[in-house]
Amino acid sequence: METQEITKQYSIISEKYTEFKDNQNVPARINTNDESVPDLFKEYVYAVTGWPVLIDSDTARELSTLSLTIPKLLHQIPSLYFDNNVKKIRDFYFEGDEMSAEFAMMCHKKNIETGCRLDLTYTEDGFKILEANIGSSIGGWQIHSFENLIRKFHSELTENYDQYKSKNTLKIYMNFLIEQILSKVPSIKDTINIFIDNGFDESDLDPEFADQTSLLFFNDLFKQELAKRGLTGEAYSGNVSELVLIGDNLCFKDVVIHGITVLSMEIKVNTSVFRAFVTDKVYFPDHLGLKMMGDKRNLAVLLELAYAGKFQPEENQLIIKNIPWTAFIQNKNIIFRDKEYNLLELLKNNKDQFVIKVARGYQGKDVFVGKFLSNDEWLEAIHTALATNAFIAQEFSGSIDFLAPNAQSEWTPHKLIWGAFGFGDSYGGVWVRMSEVKTDVGVINSATGAVEAIVFEVADK
């Protein structure tokens, strides 16, 4: 690594280059088949760098504030923007399905806290929120499983262990889950059982999955956190359709279930789960109301509410500063940078300034970054968005360049996406995905080839 070059630009190791500069044998991509890595992640499918991303405490506090505040503001949208009008909510979020809208609002009014991961980019104007991912199926927490392995590559991280902290997102989530179950299910005594919806029936499982490695991993951690409270319990997995009401209790076979998490991308519910949830027999954060909270059009709604002064002054300011200009894609006039435009004409004539993305996409799917598309491809994206009425346009918020090692261990400019976690009032840490500038295609996602990196907060001196 060329020390002089790194001092001139932003680097993933920040001002700590002198402490790390002599590390010549750090793998650009780690081999996860190490004894320190839990069995579940020994064949991890995404690339992970052996180098850490280092942030200071001020950056950590800013990410914490954003990841804890935005979910609470999102929760106010049905009342502040739609006046809790089921018909308006039906037409906006549920394609005219009034029954789903009514059930979703019943769930929403129970005011259940759930997990959130903000995806952000760091620009010349600070952090910008690209989207808010809501629910239990948010990825990124896996990176902590490689902490011990990555520390071994850097004497600075091992010799000064306490100066570098990486949050264990999954452990924070487990504690959040237990606390929510205890507060929302009053009938609990000394046992808590959770059910993990993996999207499969038991009969569908591959033989290779028969040992249920993932369930064992979650169950061990769950039991550890229960034991700290003097509680017992078990984690079970399967399909949510297997849960039934027996008397007043929601059961999996003959076991009473107190909490449900859905790890698949599809929101699922059956009559038994819904009844148990509305009668406070089970904590169910992945309820029908999440279809509202996870909609990417909500960023446009938050901006509209903030400009109208609907939140507290500091909240309005946070939204306006940290959410880039966002609008529903329709043939209408809008205000962009204090001037009025026809939205479609603005998009057609300024493609490099904008991104088009679907309201309920994931893993970078159906995201169109104008500067990486031809004119014809961009016009087709606009046409697709108009035809479905479920897309947003967002001002392109380009990451500044950070020096980081590429696959050949050369330190080159990279673009970064930050994933910051919030669980109720608990900040769950942050993880990074990065893509080399010379191979950047606009969408930085692990599923499309981005490299993952662990983040350490450097303690104040």
PDB file of all heavy atoms in Angstrom, residues 147-181:
ATOM      1  N   GLU A 147     -15.495 -11.244  12.461  1.00  0.00           N
ATOM      2  CA  GLU A 147     -14.689 -10.271  13.206  1.00  0.00           C
ATOM      3  C   GLU A 147     -13.376 -10.873  13.698  1.00  0.00           C
ATOM      4  O   GLU A 147     -12.299 -10.290  13.501  1.00  0.00           O
ATOM      5  CB  GLU A 147     -15.471  -9.706  14.394  1.00  0.00           C
ATOM      6  CG  GLU A 147     -14.609  -8.747  15.212  1.00  0.00           C
ATOM      7  CD  GLU A 147     -15.331  -8.159  16.409  1.00  0.00           C
ATOM      8  OE1 GLU A 147     -16.558  -8.321  16.512  1.00  0.00           O
ATOM      9  OE2 GLU A 147     -14.654  -7.524  17.237  1.00  0.00           O
ATOM     10  N   ASN A 148     -13.437 -12.018  14.357  1.00  0.00           N
ATOM     11  CA  ASN A 148     -12.215 -12.603  14.919  1.00  0.00           C
ATOM     12  C   ASN A 148     -11.196 -12.920  13.837  1.00  0.00           C
ATOM     13  O   ASN A 148      -9.984 -12.722  14.017  1.00  0.00           O
ATOM     14  CB  ASN A 148     -12.552 -13.868  15.716  1.00  0.00           C
ATOM     15  CG  ASN A 148     -13.330 -13.566  16.981  1.00  0.00           C
ATOM     16  OD1 ASN A 148     -13.252 -12.464  17.518  1.00  0.00           O
ATOM     17  ND2 ASN A 148     -14.110 -14.530  17.452  1.00  0.00           N
ATOM     18  N   LEU A 149     -11.667 -13.400  12.696  1.00  0.00           N
ATOM     19  CA  LEU A 149     -10.771 -13.720  11.590  1.00  0.00           C
ATOM     20  C   LEU A 149     -10.111 -12.447  11.056  1.00  0.00           C
ATOM     21  O   LEU A 149      -8.891 -12.416  10.831  1.00  0.00           O
ATOM     22  CB  LEU A 149     -11.550 -14.416  10.474  1.00  0.00           C
ATOM     23  CG  LEU A 149     -10.796 -14.721   9.177  1.00  0.00           C
ATOM     24  CD1 LEU A 149      -9.568 -15.592   9.447  1.00  0.00           C
ATOM     25  CD2 LEU A 149     -11.725 -15.388   8.168  1.00  0.00           C
ATOM     26  N   ILE A 150     -10.884 -11.393  10.873  1.00  0.00           N
ATOM     27  CA  ILE A 150     -10.324 -10.151  10.334  1.00  0.00           C
ATOM     28  C   ILE A 150      -9.375  -9.501  11.332  1.00  0.00           C
ATOM     29  O   ILE A 150      -8.325  -8.959  10.945  1.00  0.00           O
ATOM     30  CB  ILE A 150     -11.472  -9.196   9.935  1.00  0.00           C
ATOM     31  CG1 ILE A 150     -12.203  -9.781   8.717  1.00  0.00           C
ATOM     32  CG2 ILE A 150     -10.955  -7.795   9.621  1.00  0.00           C
ATOM     33  CD1 ILE A 150     -13.490  -9.080   8.356  1.00  0.00           C
ATOM     34  N   ARG A 151      -9.682  -9.576  12.613  1.00  0.00           N
ATOM     35  CA  ARG A 151      -8.765  -9.023  13.610  1.00  0.00           C
ATOM     36  C   ARG A 151      -7.400  -9.705  13.545  1.00  0.00           C
ATOM     37  O   ARG A 151      -6.357  -9.062  13.751  1.00  0.00           O
ATOM     38  CB  ARG A 151      -9.348  -9.179  15.020  1.00  0.00           C
ATOM     39  CG  ARG A 151     -10.404  -8.136  15.392  1.00  0.00           C
ATOM     40  CD  ARG A 151     -10.788  -8.271  16.851  1.00  0.00           C
ATOM     41  NE  ARG A 151     -11.857  -7.369  17.253  1.00  0.00           N
ATOM     42  CZ  ARG A 151     -11.682  -6.133  17.725  1.00  0.00           C
ATOM     43  NH1 ARG A 151     -10.448  -5.651  17.839  1.00  0.00           N
ATOM     44  NH2 ARG A 151     -12.708  -5.392  18.094  1.00  0.00           N
ATOM     45  N   LYS A 152      -7.369 -11.010  13.260  1.00  0.00           N
ATOM     46  CA  LYS A 152      -6.097 -11.743  13.240  1.00  0.00           C
ATOM     47  C   LYS A 152      -5.142 -11.226  12.176  1.00  0.00           C
ATOM     48  O   LYS A 152      -3.932 -11.399  12.282  1.00  0.00           O
ATOM     49  CB  LYS A 152      -6.349 -13.238  13.010  1.00  0.00           C
ATOM     50  CG  LYS A 152      -6.953 -13.951  14.206  1.00  0.00           C
ATOM     51  CD  LYS A 152      -6.850 -15.466  14.098  1.00  0.00           C
ATOM     52  CE  LYS A 152      -7.578 -16.016  12.910  1.00  0.00           C
ATOM     53  NZ  LYS A 152      -7.582 -17.508  12.901  1.00  0.00           N
ATOM     54  N   PHE A 153      -5.672 -10.579  11.128  1.00  0.00           N
ATOM     55  CA  PHE A 153      -4.824 -10.082  10.050  1.00  0.00           C
ATOM     56  C   PHE A 153      -4.135  -8.766  10.398  1.00  0.00           C
ATOM     57  O   PHE A 153      -3.242  -8.328   9.672  1.00  0.00           O
ATOM     58  CB  PHE A 153      -5.658  -9.873   8.776  1.00  0.00           C
ATOM     59  CG  PHE A 153      -6.271 -11.127   8.225  1.00  0.00           C
ATOM     60  CD1 PHE A 153      -7.608 -11.158   7.887  1.00  0.00           C
ATOM     61  CD2 PHE A 153      -5.515 -12.283   8.060  1.00  0.00           C
ATOM     62  CE1 PHE A 153      -8.184 -12.314   7.370  1.00  0.00           C
ATOM     63  CE2 PHE A 153      -6.080 -13.435   7.557  1.00  0.00           C
ATOM     64  CZ  PHE A 153      -7.415 -13.457   7.210  1.00  0.00           C
ATOM     65  N   HIS A 154      -4.554  -8.127  11.500  1.00  0.00           N
ATOM     66  CA  HIS A 154      -4.071  -6.789  11.822  1.00  0.00           C
ATOM     67  C   HIS A 154      -3.619  -6.733  13.274  1.00  0.00           C
ATOM     68  O   HIS A 154      -4.438  -6.827  14.188  1.00  0.00           O
ATOM     69  CB  HIS A 154      -5.173  -5.754  11.589  1.00  0.00           C
ATOM     70  CG  HIS A 154      -5.755  -5.781  10.211  1.00  0.00           C
ATOM     71  ND1 HIS A 154      -5.189  -5.108   9.151  1.00  0.00           N
ATOM     72  CD2 HIS A 154      -6.849  -6.420   9.717  1.00  0.00           C
ATOM     73  CE1 HIS A 154      -5.916  -5.317   8.070  1.00  0.00           C
ATOM     74  NE2 HIS A 154      -6.923  -6.109   8.382  1.00  0.00           N
ATOM     75  N   SER A 155      -2.346  -6.560  13.504  1.00  0.00           N
ATOM     76  CA  SER A 155      -1.833  -6.475  14.870  1.00  0.00           C
ATOM     77  C   SER A 155      -2.459  -5.310  15.621  1.00  0.00           C
ATOM     78  O   SER A 155      -2.698  -5.393  16.834  1.00  0.00           O
ATOM     79  CB  SER A 155      -0.308  -6.328  14.856  1.00  0.00           C
ATOM     80  OG  SER A 155       0.078  -5.177  14.125  1.00  0.00           O
ATOM     81  N   GLU A 156      -2.764  -4.227  14.915  1.00  0.00           N
ATOM     82  CA  GLU A 156      -3.379  -3.073  15.563  1.00  0.00           C
ATOM     83  C   GLU A 156      -4.738  -3.444  16.155  1.00  0.00           C
ATOM     84  O   GLU A 156      -5.101  -2.981  17.249  1.00  0.00           O
ATOM     85  CB  GLU A 156      -3.531  -1.929  14.553  1.00  0.00           C
ATOM     86  CG  GLU A 156      -4.301  -0.721  15.051  1.00  0.00           C
ATOM     87  CD  GLU A 156      -3.568   0.068  16.136  1.00  0.00           C
ATOM     88  OE1 GLU A 156      -2.370  -0.207  16.375  1.00  0.00           O
ATOM     89  OE2 GLU A 156      -4.204   0.946  16.748  1.00  0.00           O
ATOM     90  N   LEU A 157      -5.486  -4.290  15.476  1.00  0.00           N
ATOM     91  CA  LEU A 157      -6.810  -4.680  15.952  1.00  0.00           C
ATOM     92  C   LEU A 157      -6.750  -5.667  17.106  1.00  0.00           C
ATOM     93  O   LEU A 157      -7.687  -5.749  17.907  1.00  0.00           O
ATOM     94  CB  LEU A 157      -7.631  -5.280  14.811  1.00  0.00           C
ATOM     95  CG  LEU A 157      -8.015  -4.339  13.661  1.00  0.00           C
ATOM     96  CD1 LEU A 157      -8.809  -5.095  12.600  1.00  0.00           C
ATOM     97  CD2 LEU A 157      -8.814  -3.146  14.165  1.00  0.00           C
ATOM     98  N   THR A 158      -5.678  -6.435  17.180  1.00  0.00           N
ATOM     99  CA  THR A 158      -5.550  -7.413  18.271  1.00  0.00           C
ATOM    100  C   THR A 158      -4.851  -6.814  19.487  1.00  0.00           C
ATOM    101  O   THR A 158      -5.281  -7.017  20.623  1.00  0.00           O
ATOM    102  CB  THR A 158      -4.776  -8.649  17.789  1.00  0.00           C
ATOM    103  OG1 THR A 158      -3.525  -8.244  17.212  1.00  0.00           O
ATOM    104  CG2 THR A 158      -5.571  -9.400  16.731  1.00  0.00           C
ATOM    105  N   GLU A 159      -3.792  -6.044  19.270  1.00  0.00           N
ATOM    106  CA  GLU A 159      -3.026  -5.482  20.385  1.00  0.00           C
ATOM    107  C   GLU A 159      -3.765  -4.343  21.078  1.00  0.00           C
ATOM    108  O   GLU A 159      -3.562  -4.092  22.262  1.00  0.00           O
ATOM    109  CB  GLU A 159      -1.660  -5.004  19.881  1.00  0.00           C
ATOM    110  CG  GLU A 159      -0.767  -6.148  19.397  1.00  0.00           C
ATOM    111  CD  GLU A 159       0.486  -5.651  18.695  1.00  0.00           C
ATOM    112  OE1 GLU A 159       0.713  -4.415  18.698  1.00  0.00           O
ATOM    113  OE2 GLU A 159       1.230  -6.485  18.146  1.00  0.00           O
ATOM    114  N   ASN A 160      -4.602  -3.648  20.328  1.00  0.00           N
ATOM    115  CA  ASN A 160      -5.389  -2.546  20.897  1.00  0.00           C
ATOM    116  C   ASN A 160      -6.886  -2.854  20.735  1.00  0.00           C
ATOM    117  O   ASN A 160      -7.653  -2.039  20.219  1.00  0.00           O
ATOM    118  CB  ASN A 160      -5.028  -1.231  20.204  1.00  0.00           C
ATOM    119  CG  ASN A 160      -3.576  -0.859  20.405  1.00  0.00           C
ATOM    120  OD1 ASN A 160      -3.146  -0.574  21.523  1.00  0.00           O
ATOM    121  ND2 ASN A 160      -2.806  -0.885  19.326  1.00  0.00           N
ATOM    122  N   TYR A 161      -7.258  -4.034  21.174  1.00  0.00           N
ATOM    123  CA  TYR A 161      -8.595  -4.588  20.940  1.00  0.00           C
ATOM    124  C   TYR A 161      -9.699  -3.621  21.332  1.00  0.00           C
ATOM    125  O   TYR A 161     -10.644  -3.390  20.572  1.00  0.00           O
ATOM    126  CB  TYR A 161      -8.728  -5.894  21.717  1.00  0.00           C
ATOM    127  CG  TYR A 161      -9.937  -6.715  21.350  1.00  0.00           C
ATOM    128  CD1 TYR A 161      -9.831  -7.778  20.461  1.00  0.00           C
ATOM    129  CD2 TYR A 161     -11.186  -6.441  21.901  1.00  0.00           C
ATOM    130  CE1 TYR A 161     -10.934  -8.546  20.118  1.00  0.00           C
ATOM    131  CE2 TYR A 161     -12.289  -7.196  21.566  1.00  0.00           C
ATOM    132  CZ  TYR A 161     -12.164  -8.251  20.671  1.00  0.00           C
ATOM    133  OH  TYR A 161     -13.259  -8.994  20.332  1.00  0.00           O
ATOM    134  N   ASP A 162      -9.603  -3.049  22.528  1.00  0.00           N
ATOM    135  CA  ASP A 162     -10.703  -2.237  23.051  1.00  0.00           C
ATOM    136  C   ASP A 162     -10.838  -0.888  22.355  1.00  0.00           C
ATOM    137  O   ASP A 162     -11.847  -0.194  22.541  1.00  0.00           O
ATOM    138  CB  ASP A 162     -10.519  -2.024  24.555  1.00  0.00           C
ATOM    139  CG  ASP A 162     -10.733  -3.305  25.349  1.00  0.00           C
ATOM    140  OD1 ASP A 162     -11.387  -4.215  24.804  1.00  0.00           O
ATOM    141  OD2 ASP A 162     -10.238  -3.389  26.477  1.00  0.00           O
ATOM    142  N   GLN A 163      -9.844  -0.497  21.570  1.00  0.00           N
ATOM    143  CA  GLN A 163      -9.937   0.778  20.854  1.00  0.00           C
ATOM    144  C   GLN A 163     -10.796   0.666  19.590  1.00  0.00           C
ATOM    145  O   GLN A 163     -11.159   1.682  18.995  1.00  0.00           O
ATOM    146  CB  GLN A 163      -8.542   1.283  20.483  1.00  0.00           C
ATOM    147  CG  GLN A 163      -7.712   1.717  21.670  1.00  0.00           C
ATOM    148  CD  GLN A 163      -6.382   2.308  21.243  1.00  0.00           C
ATOM    149  OE1 GLN A 163      -6.239   2.806  20.126  1.00  0.00           O
ATOM    150  NE2 GLN A 163      -5.404   2.248  22.138  1.00  0.00           N
ATOM    151  N   TYR A 164     -11.062  -0.577  19.180  1.00  0.00           N
ATOM    152  CA  TYR A 164     -11.817  -0.812  17.947  1.00  0.00           C
ATOM    153  C   TYR A 164     -13.023  -1.693  18.254  1.00  0.00           C
ATOM    154  O   TYR A 164     -12.874  -2.861  18.611  1.00  0.00           O
ATOM    155  CB  TYR A 164     -10.924  -1.486  16.898  1.00  0.00           C
ATOM    156  CG  TYR A 164      -9.706  -0.672  16.530  1.00  0.00           C
ATOM    157  CD1 TYR A 164      -8.518  -0.793  17.243  1.00  0.00           C
ATOM    158  CD2 TYR A 164      -9.743   0.230  15.468  1.00  0.00           C
ATOM    159  CE1 TYR A 164      -7.394  -0.040  16.911  1.00  0.00           C
ATOM    160  CE2 TYR A 164      -8.623   0.976  15.126  1.00  0.00           C
ATOM    161  CZ  TYR A 164      -7.462   0.836  15.856  1.00  0.00           C
ATOM    162  OH  TYR A 164      -6.349   1.580  15.520  1.00  0.00           O
ATOM    163  N   LYS A 165     -14.206  -1.131  18.140  1.00  0.00           N
ATOM    164  CA  LYS A 165     -15.425  -1.840  18.497  1.00  0.00           C
ATOM    165  C   LYS A 165     -16.294  -2.080  17.261  1.00  0.00           C
ATOM    166  O   LYS A 165     -16.540  -1.165  16.473  1.00  0.00           O
ATOM    167  CB  LYS A 165     -16.235  -1.032  19.521  1.00  0.00           C
ATOM    168  CG  LYS A 165     -15.534  -0.831  20.864  1.00  0.00           C
ATOM    169  CD  LYS A 165     -15.370  -2.136  21.617  1.00  0.00           C
ATOM    170  CE  LYS A 165     -14.818  -1.880  23.018  1.00  0.00           C
ATOM    171  NZ  LYS A 165     -14.599  -3.155  23.758  1.00  0.00           N
ATOM    172  N   SER A 166     -16.739  -3.318  17.112  1.00  0.00           N
ATOM    173  CA  SER A 166     -17.689  -3.661  16.064  1.00  0.00           C
ATOM    174  C   SER A 166     -18.934  -4.230  16.726  1.00  0.00           C
ATOM    175  O   SER A 166     -18.849  -5.181  17.507  1.00  0.00           O
ATOM    176  CB  SER A 166     -17.094  -4.695  15.102  1.00  0.00           C
ATOM    177  OG  SER A 166     -18.025  -5.051  14.108  1.00  0.00           O
ATOM    178  N   LYS A 167     -20.077  -3.654  16.440  1.00  0.00           N
ATOM    179  CA  LYS A 167     -21.303  -4.096  17.101  1.00  0.00           C
ATOM    180  C   LYS A 167     -21.765  -5.443  16.554  1.00  0.00           C
ATOM    181  O   LYS A 167     -21.753  -5.665  15.343  1.00  0.00           O
ATOM    182  CB  LYS A 167     -22.405  -3.052  16.927  1.00  0.00           C
ATOM    183  CG  LYS A 167     -22.189  -1.787  17.745  1.00  0.00           C
ATOM    184  CD  LYS A 167     -23.392  -0.883  17.687  1.00  0.00           C
ATOM    185  CE  LYS A 167     -23.217   0.323  18.600  1.00  0.00           C
ATOM    186  NZ  LYS A 167     -23.201  -0.052  20.025  1.00  0.00           N
ATOM    187  N   ASN A 168     -22.167  -6.319  17.459  1.00  0.00           N
ATOM    188  CA  ASN A 168     -22.719  -7.615  17.091  1.00  0.00           C
ATOM    189  C   ASN A 168     -24.212  -7.418  16.815  1.00  0.00           C
ATOM    190  O   ASN A 168     -25.047  -7.487  17.708  1.00  0.00           O
ATOM    191  CB  ASN A 168     -22.503  -8.631  18.218  1.00  0.00           C
ATOM    192  CG  ASN A 168     -22.902 -10.035  17.814  1.00  0.00           C
ATOM    193  OD1 ASN A 168     -23.787 -10.232  16.989  1.00  0.00           O
ATOM    194  ND2 ASN A 168     -22.251 -11.025  18.391  1.00  0.00           N
ATOM    195  N   THR A 169     -24.519  -7.162  15.548  1.00  0.00           N
ATOM    196  CA  THR A 169     -25.888  -6.796  15.173  1.00  0.00           C
ATOM    197  C   THR A 169     -26.895  -7.881  15.536  1.00  0.00           C
ATOM    198  O   THR A 169     -27.989  -7.595  16.032  1.00  0.00           O
ATOM    199  CB  THR A 169     -25.955  -6.502  13.664  1.00  0.00           C
ATOM    200  OG1 THR A 169     -25.022  -5.470  13.348  1.00  0.00           O
ATOM    201  CG2 THR A 169     -27.352  -6.067  13.252  1.00  0.00           C
ATOM    202  N   LEU A 170     -26.535  -9.132  15.303  1.00  0.00           N
ATOM    203  CA  LEU A 170     -27.479 -10.213  15.586  1.00  0.00           C
ATOM    204  C   LEU A 170     -27.758 -10.322  17.080  1.00  0.00           C
ATOM    205  O   LEU A 170     -28.905 -10.538  17.490  1.00  0.00           O
ATOM    206  CB  LEU A 170     -26.948 -11.542  15.045  1.00  0.00           C
ATOM    207  CG  LEU A 170     -27.871 -12.741  15.245  1.00  0.00           C
ATOM    208  CD1 LEU A 170     -29.236 -12.497  14.607  1.00  0.00           C
ATOM    209  CD2 LEU A 170     -27.242 -14.012  14.678  1.00  0.00           C
ATOM    210  N   LYS A 171     -26.740 -10.160  17.915  1.00  0.00           N
ATOM    211  CA  LYS A 171     -26.959 -10.225  19.364  1.00  0.00           C
ATOM    212  C   LYS A 171     -27.836  -9.064  19.827  1.00  0.00           C
ATOM    213  O   LYS A 171     -28.731  -9.237  20.677  1.00  0.00           O
ATOM    214  CB  LYS A 171     -25.622 -10.208  20.106  1.00  0.00           C
ATOM    215  CG  LYS A 171     -25.765 -10.365  21.608  1.00  0.00           C
ATOM    216  CD  LYS A 171     -24.417 -10.434  22.311  1.00  0.00           C
ATOM    217  CE  LYS A 171     -23.710 -11.736  22.031  1.00  0.00           C
ATOM    218  NZ  LYS A 171     -22.498 -11.896  22.881  1.00  0.00           N
ATOM    219  N   ILE A 172     -27.608  -7.891  19.262  1.00  0.00           N
ATOM    220  CA  ILE A 172     -28.450  -6.736  19.602  1.00  0.00           C
ATOM    221  C   ILE A 172     -29.892  -7.010  19.188  1.00  0.00           C
ATOM    222  O   ILE A 172     -30.835  -6.706  19.920  1.00  0.00           O
ATOM    223  CB  ILE A 172     -27.913  -5.465  18.916  1.00  0.00           C
ATOM    224  CG1 ILE A 172     -26.537  -5.105  19.498  1.00  0.00           C
ATOM    225  CG2 ILE A 172     -28.886  -4.298  19.078  1.00  0.00           C
ATOM    226  CD1 ILE A 172     -25.797  -4.037  18.729  1.00  0.00           C
ATOM    227  N   TYR A 173     -30.052  -7.610  18.001  1.00  0.00           N
ATOM    228  CA  TYR A 173     -31.405  -7.949  17.543  1.00  0.00           C
ATOM    229  C   TYR A 173     -32.058  -8.977  18.461  1.00  0.00           C
ATOM    230  O   TYR A 173     -33.246  -8.850  18.795  1.00  0.00           O
ATOM    231  CB  TYR A 173     -31.362  -8.487  16.113  1.00  0.00           C
ATOM    232  CG  TYR A 173     -32.682  -9.099  15.689  1.00  0.00           C
ATOM    233  CD1 TYR A 173     -33.787  -8.294  15.425  1.00  0.00           C
ATOM    234  CD2 TYR A 173     -32.836 -10.476  15.599  1.00  0.00           C
ATOM    235  CE1 TYR A 173     -35.007  -8.844  15.066  1.00  0.00           C
ATOM    236  CE2 TYR A 173     -34.054 -11.035  15.239  1.00  0.00           C
ATOM    237  CZ  TYR A 173     -35.130 -10.212  14.974  1.00  0.00           C
ATOM    238  OH  TYR A 173     -36.337 -10.768  14.636  1.00  0.00           O
ATOM    239  N   MET A 174     -31.306  -9.997  18.877  1.00  0.00           N
ATOM    240  CA  MET A 174     -31.866 -11.028  19.753  1.00  0.00           C
ATOM    241  C   MET A 174     -32.361 -10.422  21.066  1.00  0.00           C
ATOM    242  O   MET A 174     -33.435 -10.771  21.567  1.00  0.00           O
ATOM    243  CB  MET A 174     -30.822 -12.104  20.041  1.00  0.00           C
ATOM    244  CG  MET A 174     -30.643 -13.108  18.938  1.00  0.00           C
ATOM    245  SD  MET A 174     -32.127 -14.118  18.700  1.00  0.00           S
ATOM    246  CE  MET A 174     -31.538 -15.282  17.471  1.00  0.00           C
ATOM    247  N   ASN A 175     -31.582  -9.500  21.620  1.00  0.00           N
ATOM    248  CA  ASN A 175     -32.013  -8.841  22.852  1.00  0.00           C
ATOM    249  C   ASN A 175     -33.245  -7.978  22.613  1.00  0.00           C
ATOM    250  O   ASN A 175     -34.157  -7.946  23.444  1.00  0.00           O
ATOM    251  CB  ASN A 175     -30.868  -7.992  23.415  1.00  0.00           C
ATOM    252  CG  ASN A 175     -29.873  -8.814  24.205  1.00  0.00           C
ATOM    253  OD1 ASN A 175     -30.142  -9.195  25.336  1.00  0.00           O
ATOM    254  ND2 ASN A 175     -28.738  -9.096  23.619  1.00  0.00           N
ATOM    255  N   PHE A 176     -33.271  -7.299  21.485  1.00  0.00           N
ATOM    256  CA  PHE A 176     -34.452  -6.512  21.113  1.00  0.00           C
ATOM    257  C   PHE A 176     -35.671  -7.421  20.987  1.00  0.00           C
ATOM    258  O   PHE A 176     -36.762  -7.103  21.493  1.00  0.00           O
ATOM    259  CB  PHE A 176     -34.172  -5.790  19.793  1.00  0.00           C
ATOM    260  CG  PHE A 176     -35.396  -5.243  19.115  1.00  0.00           C
ATOM    261  CD1 PHE A 176     -35.988  -4.068  19.557  1.00  0.00           C
ATOM    262  CD2 PHE A 176     -35.953  -5.894  18.023  1.00  0.00           C
ATOM    263  CE1 PHE A 176     -37.111  -3.559  18.919  1.00  0.00           C
ATOM    264  CE2 PHE A 176     -37.075  -5.398  17.389  1.00  0.00           C
ATOM    265  CZ  PHE A 176     -37.659  -4.217  17.837  1.00  0.00           C
ATOM    266  N   LEU A 177     -35.508  -8.564  20.328  1.00  0.00           N
ATOM    267  CA  LEU A 177     -36.608  -9.502  20.126  1.00  0.00           C
ATOM    268  C   LEU A 177     -37.159  -9.991  21.462  1.00  0.00           C
ATOM    269  O   LEU A 177     -38.380 -10.007  21.690  1.00  0.00           O
ATOM    270  CB  LEU A 177     -36.118 -10.682  19.286  1.00  0.00           C
ATOM    271  CG  LEU A 177     -37.097 -11.818  19.007  1.00  0.00           C
ATOM    272  CD1 LEU A 177     -38.292 -11.322  18.218  1.00  0.00           C
ATOM    273  CD2 LEU A 177     -36.397 -12.952  18.254  1.00  0.00           C
ATOM    274  N   ILE A 178     -36.271 -10.376  22.357  1.00  0.00           N
ATOM    275  CA  ILE A 178     -36.706 -10.876  23.666  1.00  0.00           C
ATOM    276  C   ILE A 178     -37.435  -9.789  24.453  1.00  0.00           C
ATOM    277  O   ILE A 178     -38.506 -10.032  25.042  1.00  0.00           O
ATOM    278  CB  ILE A 178     -35.496 -11.409  24.460  1.00  0.00           C
ATOM    279  CG1 ILE A 178     -34.926 -12.662  23.780  1.00  0.00           C
ATOM    280  CG2 ILE A 178     -35.893 -11.724  25.908  1.00  0.00           C
ATOM    281  CD1 ILE A 178     -33.585 -13.106  24.324  1.00  0.00           C
ATOM    282  N   GLU A 179     -36.877  -8.581  24.461  1.00  0.00           N
ATOM    283  CA  GLU A 179     -37.512  -7.485  25.202  1.00  0.00           C
ATOM    284  C   GLU A 179     -38.881  -7.143  24.630  1.00  0.00           C
ATOM    285  O   GLU A 179     -39.829  -6.858  25.379  1.00  0.00           O
ATOM    286  CB  GLU A 179     -36.606  -6.250  25.176  1.00  0.00           C
ATOM    287  CG  GLU A 179     -35.326  -6.390  25.992  1.00  0.00           C
ATOM    288  CD  GLU A 179     -35.602  -6.671  27.461  1.00  0.00           C
ATOM    289  OE1 GLU A 179     -36.590  -6.138  28.006  1.00  0.00           O
ATOM    290  OE2 GLU A 179     -34.839  -7.455  28.070  1.00  0.00           O
ATOM    291  N   GLN A 180     -39.006  -7.182  23.309  1.00  0.00           N
ATOM    292  CA  GLN A 180     -40.300  -6.893  22.695  1.00  0.00           C
ATOM    293  C   GLN A 180     -41.330  -7.964  23.042  1.00  0.00           C
ATOM    294  O   GLN A 180     -42.496  -7.656  23.328  1.00  0.00           O
ATOM    295  CB  GLN A 180     -40.153  -6.782  21.175  1.00  0.00           C
ATOM    296  CG  GLN A 180     -39.430  -5.541  20.708  1.00  0.00           C
ATOM    297  CD  GLN A 180     -40.163  -4.270  21.113  1.00  0.00           C
ATOM    298  OE1 GLN A 180     -41.343  -4.097  20.842  1.00  0.00           O
ATOM    299  NE2 GLN A 180     -39.454  -3.380  21.794  1.00  0.00           N
ATOM    300  N   ILE A 181     -40.915  -9.230  23.031  1.00  0.00           N
ATOM    301  CA  ILE A 181     -41.835 -10.315  23.385  1.00  0.00           C
ATOM    302  C   ILE A 181     -42.300 -10.166  24.832  1.00  0.00           C
ATOM    303  O   ILE A 181     -43.492 -10.288  25.143  1.00  0.00           O
ATOM    304  CB  ILE A 181     -41.168 -11.685  23.158  1.00  0.00           C
ATOM    305  CG1 ILE A 181     -40.934 -11.917  21.663  1.00  0.00           C
ATOM    306  CG2 ILE A 181     -42.036 -12.807  23.726  1.00  0.00           C
ATOM    307  CD1 ILE A 181     -40.113 -13.151  21.359  1.00  0.00           C
TER     308      ILE A 181
END
